[in-house]
Amino acid sequence: MTPVESILITGFGPFLNVGENPSQWLAERSALPFRILEVSFQGVEEFLASGETEGFDTLLHLGVAGGAERMRFETTARNVIGPTHDVLGEVQGPGKIDAFGPPQIGATLWDVPSAFVDTEVSQPSVDAGGYLCNYLLYRSLQVHPGKRVGFLHVPPVEKMDLERQLGVLWDVLGLIEG
């Protein structure tokens, strides 16, 4: 069982056509320690190297998925990055995140699979995409093999209002806490 105090939540700031990122809003209202990440490869790497994750057993990353209608528990990080530029204009793909890394790494947070099933508001997923969300999950799992690491994709506010998303997040945190 992981005490709630040991959870660090990350959300992403604005990017592309997302002016107000719901993942940022949720992280800020989670009632837990949080960090808002710039939507950049450099920002992710600086966060992972910063030592900010020390003292936390669990990393819960949040990010918006444009086409999602429900919250998605990303169960797998894939060693793939697409051709989309980040907010600094950097493009790292298409290609692999790590030329020598495994093709995929399983998320280590969703260790009670029966608790994270298909519901009206959430669903498991094996495709975290080909942008910074997948990149953050893959790199976090590489850098922190001893931590519980997971990624929760959230839908745009047009698909699910923020208060409902916050309720789901609190339910998820309760499941993580055990």
Side-chain angles (χ1 to χ4, degrees):
M1 181 178 349
T2 303
V4 172
E5 298 82 49
S6 70
I7 300 172
L8 176 64
I9 295 183
T10 68
F12 278 115
F15 71 103
L16 300 175
N17 63 346
V18 178
E20 294 183 31
N21 197 321
S23 71
Q24 177 175 347
W25 190 91
L26 291 167
E28 291 171 344
R29 287 158 182 81
S30 67
L32 293 172
F34 69 91
R35 173 74 157 41
I36 304 306
L37 304 178
E38 177 180 75
V39 182
S40 71
F41 300 102
Q42 177 182 326
V44 167
E45 291 301 330
E46 286 174 357
F47 166 71
L48 292 173
S50 71
E52 290 181 60
T53 60
E54 295 302 316
F56 294 97
D57 298 333
T58 303
L59 304 177
L60 175 56
H61 302 304
L62 307 175
V64 65
E69 299 201 10
R70 298 183 275 173
M71 310 284 257
R72 290 193 336 224
F73 303 104
E74 299 300 348
T75 62
T76 308
R78 297 175 306 124
N79 189 1
V80 62
I81 194 67
T84 306
H85 66 82
D86 66 15
V87 298
L88 301 177
E90 182 179 357
V91 175
Q92 288 202 2
K96 291 184 174 187
I97 294 170
D98 180 345
F100 303 104
Q104 62 186 30
I105 305 173
T108 53
L109 180 55
W110 318 123
D111 55 0
V112 186
S114 61
F116 302 101
V117 295
D118 236 334
T119 71
E120 175 187 333
V121 293
S122 63
Q123 67 187 106
S125 169
V126 296
D127 186 358
Y131 193 46
L132 266 297
C133 295
N134 180 66
Y135 183 88
L136 173 61
L137 179 57
Y138 190 90
R139 291 290 297 128
S140 292
L141 289 163
Q142 280 187 312
V143 171
H144 299 297
K147 293 186 186 292
R148 295 174 68 206
V149 178
F151 198 99
L152 182 62
H153 259 127
V154 303
V157 294
E158 302 81 38
K159 302 288 183 172
M160 183 186 293
D161 70 73
L162 290 171
E163 293 299 328
R164 188 161 191 204
Q165 289 187 40
L166 186 59
V168 174
L169 176 61
W170 284 337
D171 289 345
V172 168
L173 293 170
L175 291 170
I176 291 169
E177 182 182 20

